[in-house]
C-alpha cells in the first residue's frame, strides 16, 4: 500500500512540474516591419513614362461615394502585367494597388 501511495505521489509531482514548466515557457511571436511607412499603397496612374513604367501618385480612399484624394508627390512604378520591351498601354486615371519590392515600386494591372 505504501509503495502504491508513493508511486501516486511521484506521478502527481511529475504532472505538477510538467504544468508549471509549460506555464513558465510561454512562446511569444513578434512581427516587425522596417520603418513605420506602409509598403502597399492605393495609387492612381498619371501617365506612361517609358515601356511598362508609369508615373503614379498615392491616393487616400475616403468615404463611399467620394473620389480618392491624391497625396504626396508623383513617383514611378512598373506594371508587371505588361511587356518590359514594349510601350505600356494602361490608361491614365486607373486606380491600382502598388507594392514596394526592394528599391522599385511595382503593380499588376492587366490592360
Amino acid at each position: 500500500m505504501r509503495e502504491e501511495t508513493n508511486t501516486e505521489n511521484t506521478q502527481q509531482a511529475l504532472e505538477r512540474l510538467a504544468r508549471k514548466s509549460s506555464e513558465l515557457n510561454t512562446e511569444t511571436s513578434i512581427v516587425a516591419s522596417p520603418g513605420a511607412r506602409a509598403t502597399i499603397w492605393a495609387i492612381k496612374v498619371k501617365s506612361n513614362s517609358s515601356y511598362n513604367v508609369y508615373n503614379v501618385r498615392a491616393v487616400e480612399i475616403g468615404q463611399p461615394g467620394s473620389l480618392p484624394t491624391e497625396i504626396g508627390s508623383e513617383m514611378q512604378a512598373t506594371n508587371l502585367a505588361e511587356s518590359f520591351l514594349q510601350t505600356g498601354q494602361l490608361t491614365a486615371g486607373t486606380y491600382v494597388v502598388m507594392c514596394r519590392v526592394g528599391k522599385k515600386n511595382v503593380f499588376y494591372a492587366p490592360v
Side-chain angles (χ1 to χ4, degrees), residues 2-106:
R2 184 154 171 85
E3 188 174 315
E4 289 177 14
T5 305
N6 192 20
T7 304
E8 287 179 23
N9 289 342
T10 304
Q11 183 64 30
Q12 290 173 354
L14 288 173
E15 289 174 359
R16 273 196 307 273
L17 283 173
R19 280 195 301 272
K20 277 187 181 178
S21 177
S22 66
E23 290 172 5
L24 295 175
N25 293 331
T26 58
E27 289 187 28
T28 303
S29 298
I30 297 174
V31 177
S33 175
R37 293 180 14 168
T39 56
I40 299 175
W41 302 269
I43 60 167
K44 180 179 182 180
V45 174
K46 302 299 283 180
S47 63
N48 182 269
S49 176
S50 64
Y51 295 97
N52 63 337
V53 179
Y54 291 86
N55 297 314
V56 299
R57 196 156 173 199
V59 295
E60 185 175 335
I61 308 298
Q63 296 295 321
S66 66
L67 292 174
T69 306
E70 293 182 10
I71 57 175
S73 57
E74 279 192 16
M75 60 192 113
Q76 291 190 330
T78 303
N79 185 2
L80 299 176
E82 294 181 302
S83 171
F84 285 81
L85 304 175
Q86 297 176 358
T87 302
Q89 302 298 315
L90 191 60
T91 307
T94 303
Y95 292 94
V96 294
V97 175
M98 176 183 77
C99 302
R100 183 100 174 143
V101 178
K103 295 182 180 181
K104 298 287 185 181
N105 296 317
V106 297

